[in-house]
Amino acid sequence: MASPPRPVLATQPLLLLLLLLLRNAAGAAAASSSVNPFTAKAAFIRYWNRKVPNNRPHPAFFVSKLSPLPAADAASFPSSLPAITARLPTLCSKAALLCPSSDVSSLADRKGQFKSYSNANFTNYGSGAGAGTDGFSSYSPDVNVAGDSFRRYGRDSSARADSFATYEANGNVVTANFTSYAGGATGGSGSFSAYAADTNVPESQFTNYDAGANGRARGFTSYSQEANHGENSFAGYGKSGNSLRETFTSYGGDTNTLTSGFANYGESANGATDTFTGYGVEANVPKNTFRSYGAGGNAGVDTFKGYRGDANVGDDSFASYAKGANGGAAEFQSYGGSANQGSVAFKGYGEGTNRNHHIGFKQYARDNTTFKGYAKTGVDFKEYHNTSATVSPEETTSEHRHMKWSPEPGKFFRERELVAGNRMPMPDIRDKMPPRAFLPRDIARKIPFEPNAVSEVFRVPLDTAMGKAVASTVAECERVPSRGETKRCATSAEDIVDFAVEMLGSDIVVHSTASTAGSGADIRLGNVTGVHGGKVTRPVSCHQSLFPYLVYYCHSVPKARVYEAEITAADSGQKINHGVAICHLDTSDWSPAHGAFVALGGKPGKIEVCHWIFEGDMTWTVAD
């Protein structure tokens, strides 16, 4: 009788050793991060341990951003772009990515009232409808990557009124397309109240809106208030319309680098009346372009009152404005009372054979204005004056240093303020980016880091807010480094570790502010410690970029000191947070218009500038 086979493990020492090694590696990963050892997250932790073998704890904030993809999904992911796109819904849900919503809500049985409504396609909605009212209340609030489309909405309707209240408020990368909206409509009205307020990277497109309409009135009240870095475009708006009235009140107020473009606005219209009141007030670097605005129109009236008041620099361009218009009138009242002067260019203004127009500048104050090819008749420069002769730039900057577009208190501070017991304002350090995770490196490398490829994979048109954010991120990553800067864009967690090790060696640590406690309030500093003994170092800082998956802009900056500080409640002294701050000692290559100099005074190279490490960002240093 043959003897039974002996256990495999007892007879195969090499296999036993291999299994023990796997068990130890998996156990170490699981013990340090409490994650399944067969996930992409655990694979990265093992990678970290090989690259940074100093046995320090893995930072929880970094581990939380790792890909949640199961190992099977990560290993079987396709390599071709079409195949990746075909599996996009699965990838987005399992990998925690930022993808456009495919949920298009039903329009049935709404009866014109749209409350708490999101991500819809209104095509041919209300076409040919009679008198009635459509109300959009709390539409697309707090949405990441909102995409709303209103095509041929209310076309050829009669006496139809529509209103948009709190539309796309507090959203991230929101896009709204109003194409041929109310085309050929007669009578009625529309209003946009609190439109796109407090949004991040809004993208609103009004194309041929109210084109061919008759007797319509449209009002934009509190439009894009306090929005950040977006673009609104009005192309062919009111084209060939009759007796249209448009009012822009509190448009783009308190915004940051918001761009608006008006192309062929009111073209060939009859009796159009447009009023811009409080437009771009206290905005930071607004940019507005008026091209062929009111071209070929008849008896149109445009009024610019309180335009760009107390704004910080910015740029306006009026090209071929009112070209070939008949009986047009434009009044610039209190235009350009900016705190820090920007520029205005008038090119071919009022040009054409028809000289029956009136353009008046009343109480217009502007330093940097150019007039080229300007109509020589029908122009009245009443009370137009150059402010540079009476107010110096230094006086202007000082007077408006605490305007709303100025950096919030505490965003920048001096190194001498980092002492125990000091009371200081803490800025809002909360992460305003939409939540996303890293892609595993093997998958990230399959997607070319260029706008067209990302647009194809994630189905993000480049003319939407998200598409433009992708292009902006790629452009910033391709920018030539500043003097003394070494930079790299990391498309995976492994890339970040590689760059930090390349710049600092393998014995490194990553620092981040522990939480957002104290944001937007006064705090008091407890114990303050200089990292690496308070010596001047060359840390690596990494900042989030807006992309469908986590991408970090990492750069090694010369001559800096990093500090860790206990943060306590200003009055009770109770510890509430543990903060990390970095002080840049060499600011000689910074722009003179940098917010730090607006807040602190001084000039590039003359002062050091410190700031807290915000939630979601990080700084790497050599380990103490």
Side-chain angles (χ1 to χ4, degrees), residues 286 318 363 414 507 509 539 558:
F318 294 84
Q363 296 181 352
R414 302 293 299 274
D507 190 13
V509 291

Side-chain angles (χ1 to χ4, degrees), residues 20-327:
L20 287 174
L21 289 174
L22 287 174
R23 186 186 68 182
N24 290 340
S32 63
S33 59
S34 301
V35 297
N36 187 321
F38 300 105
T39 61
K41 182 179 291 188
F44 169 77
I45 291 174
R46 292 191 290 272
Y47 185 85
W48 176 306
N49 292 339
R50 292 196 303 272
K51 299 289 289 190
V52 188
N54 56 15
N55 295 320
R56 291 176 178 263
H58 303 114
F61 87 95
F62 197 97
V63 172
S64 68
K65 298 178 183 298
L66 299 177
S67 175
L69 268 180
D73 290 279
S76 65
F77 206 76
S79 58
S80 65
L81 296 187
I84 293 177
T85 302
R87 292 186 57 182
L88 184 64
T90 300
L91 176 65
C92 289
S93 61
K94 290 189 175 182
L97 306 183
L98 180 64
C99 298
S101 173
S102 59
D103 176 31
V104 178
S105 304
S106 171
L107 304 182
D109 301 323
R110 283 288 176 172
K111 298 181 180 178
Q113 299 303 313
F114 302 89
K115 296 182 179 180
S116 302
Y117 206 73
S118 301
N119 284 323
N121 184 343
F122 289 82
T123 300
N124 292 323
Y125 182 93
S127 293
T133 302
D134 293 332
F136 295 84
S137 179
S138 298
Y139 192 100
S140 290
D142 303 297
V143 177
N144 281 321
V145 200
D148 300 319
S149 179
F150 294 80
R151 297 185 61 194
R152 299 186 296 278
Y153 184 104
R155 186 175 185 177
D156 298 322
S157 62
S158 177
R160 195 85 182 163
D162 53 86
S163 63
F164 294 83
T166 59
Y167 186 97
E168 291 188 341
N170 303 306
N172 261 313
V173 288
V174 295
T175 299
N177 291 310
F178 292 83
T179 305
S180 300
Y181 189 105
T186 299
S189 63
S191 63
F192 290 83
S193 302
Y195 186 101
D198 297 304
T199 52
N200 184 40
V201 199
E203 177 79 15
S204 299
Q205 301 174 14
F206 294 83
T207 306
N208 292 330
Y209 190 107
D210 278 347
N214 178 53
R216 292 265 302 173
R218 176 70 57 191
F220 293 84
T221 306
S222 188
Y223 189 99
S224 293
Q225 192 79 1
E226 298 188 16
N228 178 49
H229 192 66
E231 182 174 356
N232 301 320
S233 63
F234 297 82
Y237 189 108
K239 182 177 180 180
S240 302
N242 181 53
S243 297
L244 304 179
R245 299 182 304 280
E246 310 291 349
T247 302
F248 293 84
T249 307
S250 297
Y251 184 102
D254 304 324
T255 56
N256 181 45
T257 60
L258 185 71
T259 297
S260 296
F262 295 83
N264 298 100
Y265 186 107
E267 180 182 8
S268 302
N270 179 52
T273 301
D274 301 326
T275 304
F276 293 83
T277 306
Y279 189 103
V281 173
E282 295 189 5
N284 182 43
V285 200
K287 183 176 181 180
N288 307 299
T289 302
F290 294 84
R291 182 165 52 85
S292 298
Y293 187 105
N298 180 55
V301 178
D302 301 326
T303 303
F304 294 84
K305 186 176 182 180
Y307 189 101
R308 249 173 67 181
D310 291 324
N312 180 39
V313 296
D315 179 32
D316 287 345
S317 173
F318 294 84
S320 299
Y321 190 103
K323 180 179 180 180
N326 176 48

